[in-house]
Amino acid sequence: MTAPAPVHPVDEVPPVRQLAAFGLQHVLAMYAGAVAVPLIVGGAMKLSPADLAYLITADLLVCGIATLVQCVGFWRFGVRLPIMQGCTFAAVSPMVLIGTTGGGLPAIYGSVIVAGLAIVLLAPVFGRLLRFFPPLVTGTVILIIGVSLLPVAGNWAAGGAGSKDFGEPKNLGLALFVLLVVLGVQRFAPVFLSRIAVLIGIAVGLAVAVPFDFTDFGGVTDADWLGISTPFHFGAPAFHASAIVSMLVVALVTMTETTGDLIAVGELTGRAVERRSLADGLRADGLSTVLGGVFNTFPYTAYAQNVGLVGMTRVRSRWVVAAAGGILVLLGLLPKLGAVVAAIPAPVLGGAGLVMFGTVAASGLRTLAQVDFKDNHNLTVVAVSVAVGMLPVGVPTVYEQFPDWFRTVMNSGISAGCLTAIVLNLLFNHLPAKGASVPEAGGLPAGGGEQGVEQSREEVV
């Protein structure tokens, strides 16, 4: 008798108890980012508290559905990797502009639906671009993703951007405590517990935060038990040309970001993303975005913070993230449960986020370690790409005087750095070189070389 073929770790189904724990850990890692987009857009449009609550529950519901589509997949939709889906921040500025001056929520949803359909149609085109993502580019993009997320963790650790006690020592002390708990569990606890170190750190941090008045559970009492999002709750979608153009630019940005995230997860899980699977993942993004426009929420993309969690815990099963999607669906249908999760103080999330986001950056460095940096321009490609990617992160207003379409693309450090890495790799490693490479003084290369760059990602993995 022949032995059954081994199951890839991505396809393994852990026991139910572990599924629930690992899944909840992913939900806690992305929850703050997931609800931030509806809060920002709804707040800018001066919506009532009831409408804001409706946006949040609708968002959580579609987040869960989008995650299930991406992880489980059907036909040609879904990359079938551990990928969490959430609202993209790249769409915040255009949506605020559309909502406040260009037709309100119906105009937003009309443009979101068109953008989602465009992503579905363009997915095969992006799939053919995979050859432009050798380890030099993918490692750089993964590094940029991790480093660009660190300020988010820093804001959480300080108390949350805009909070009255931002930066107070008690907030940073709580974040440090959670960080130490996570590290302690990872180092000294049994294997199963070490894999849910983030969840344990958040639970212990919350237990410490409650008696010291870091959080308020008053919102749990006020929340409804049941909430169902109905299609076109705020009216039939309106299709305005200017709004659609803005959202199409956002669609290109989110496709670029999602491509980087999918490749990063492929590297971490040992299942390389190929042309077809990349197109399937992007197609799922488009479907989720269409659902967002129908069910009163916004464009969706892969969440980079959960990429870090996959790398840190080394739990590679897509069914774990599918369980997280199921939890998000429950939170969307049961607002009272969502209010409980929302009560977790920002410093607690910040302490855990520092580990997760740093793990993403370290994974990028690991990928770059496979690249040859001798007698070629690869070091320049990485240096300039990281610099361009970090520019809007370090100086958020740097492109304030530029046109809206330019700001939409370049204000995202991930998309800016990704595009720069692709262009520089083409410039230095694909165009014919004028002469042999000659190293310059100081170690910076002077000639083009493709060694270690043209090698396909599949061969490297």
Side-chain angles (χ1 to χ4, degrees):
M1 294 179 63
T2 58
V7 178
H8 193 283
V10 167
D11 298 318
E12 288 181 347
V13 182
V16 174
R17 183 186 64 172
Q18 295 183 14
L19 271 177
F22 293 150
L24 179 59
Q25 189 169 237
H26 273 281
V27 170
L28 296 178
M30 60 83 67
Y31 188 90
V35 301
V37 174
L39 282 174
I40 295 170
V41 176
M45 296 179 62
K46 297 180 171 53
L47 297 182
S48 67
D51 284 342
L52 277 176
Y54 192 94
L55 284 181
I56 291 172
T57 55
D59 175 38
L60 294 174
L61 175 64
V62 180
C63 274
I65 295 172
T67 299
L68 288 168
V69 171
Q70 196 69 275
C71 295
V72 179
F74 69 92
W75 190 51
R76 297 297 303 278
F77 291 86
V79 71
R80 294 167 176 83
L81 286 172
I83 288 287
M84 286 291 291
Q85 296 284 104
C87 281
T88 174
F89 283 86
V92 169
S93 296
M95 288 192 301
V96 169
L97 188 63
I98 295 168
T100 54
T101 65
L105 286 173
I108 291 177
Y109 295 140
S111 64
V112 168
I113 291 172
V114 174
L117 293 173
I119 292 173
V120 172
L121 295 175
L122 290 173
V125 177
F126 258 72
R128 295 188 182 95
L129 299 179
L130 192 61
R131 65 192 183 93
F132 296 116
F133 287 85
L136 174 64
V137 174
T138 58
T140 302
V141 172
I142 297 169
L143 174 62
I144 293 171
I145 290 172
V147 177
S148 66
L149 285 171
L150 287 175
V152 176
N155 279 323
W156 287 348
S163 62
K164 295 180 180 178
D165 59 350
F166 185 85
E168 288 192 7
K170 65 173 185 177
N171 292 332
L172 295 171
L174 179 59
L176 176 61
F177 172 73
V178 171
L179 174 61
L180 294 176
V181 170
V182 172
L183 295 176
V185 172
Q186 269 203 304
R187 175 63 181 85
F188 299 108
V191 174
F192 169 69
L193 292 179
S194 69
R195 289 179 173 174
I196 57 171
V198 170
L199 179 60
I200 294 174
I202 291 174
V204 173
L206 181 60
V208 171
V210 171
F212 287 97
D213 295 326
F214 275 92
T215 188
D216 179 17
F217 287 96
V220 178
T221 306
D222 299 334
D224 296 328
W225 279 104
L226 184 64
I228 299 176
S229 179
T230 55
F232 307 124
H233 174 79
F234 295 98
F239 300 95
H240 297 173
S242 59
I244 290 172
V245 170
S246 298
M247 206 56 64
L248 288 176
V249 174
V250 171
L252 294 175
V253 173
T254 57
M255 292 179 79
T256 304
E257 290 183 350
T258 297
T259 298
D261 290 333
L262 296 184
I263 291 174
V265 171
E267 301 276 2
L268 292 172
T269 58
R271 174 175 284 178
V273 174
E274 299 174 352
R275 189 173 77 179
R276 174 168 174 155
S277 54
L278 174 59
D280 292 347
L282 293 172
R283 203 176 280 113
D285 258 16
L287 175 62
S288 304
T289 299
V290 172
L291 289 176
V294 173
F295 286 94
N296 319 293
T297 178
F298 308 114
Y300 284 85
T301 187
Y303 259 27
Q305 48 262 59
N306 294 88
V307 175
L309 190 56
V310 171
M312 194 194 91
T313 62
R314 296 185 297 280
V315 176
R316 295 179 281 176
S317 172
R318 61 190 172 106
W319 299 104
V320 164
V321 181
I327 294 172
L328 284 172
V329 171
L330 283 177
L331 293 177
L333 296 174
L334 303 173
K336 199 172 283 290
L337 287 179
V340 173
V341 177
I344 298 175
V348 173
L349 297 174
L354 288 172
V355 184
M356 294 187 298
F357 303 161
T359 301
V360 179
S363 299
L365 293 176
R366 183 175 60 187
T367 301
L368 287 173
Q370 305 166 357
V371 177
D372 179 21
F373 286 100
K374 295 180 180 179
D375 299 336
N376 54 43
H377 286 291
N378 292 342
L379 190 64
T380 302
V381 174
V382 176
V384 177
S385 301
V386 172
V388 173
M390 290 300 99
L391 194 58
V393 176
V395 189
T397 58
V398 66
Y399 300 122
E400 202 65 28
Q401 304 301 320
F402 284 75
D404 290 339
W405 66 267
F406 185 90
R407 293 206 307 269
T408 300
V409 176
M410 299 302 291
N411 267 343
S412 167
I414 297 172
S415 64
C418 182
L419 292 173
T420 304
I422 292 171
V423 171
L424 292 181
N425 179 53
L426 291 174
L427 175 65
F428 287 117
N429 296 313
H430 287 262
L431 293 180
K434 290 183 177 180
S437 59
V438 180
E440 292 180 350
L444 288 177
E450 298 191 22
Q451 184 179 1
V453 182
E454 285 298 313
Q455 185 181 12
S456 69
R457 289 179 46 261
E458 290 80 2
E459 291 174 357
V460 171
V461 173

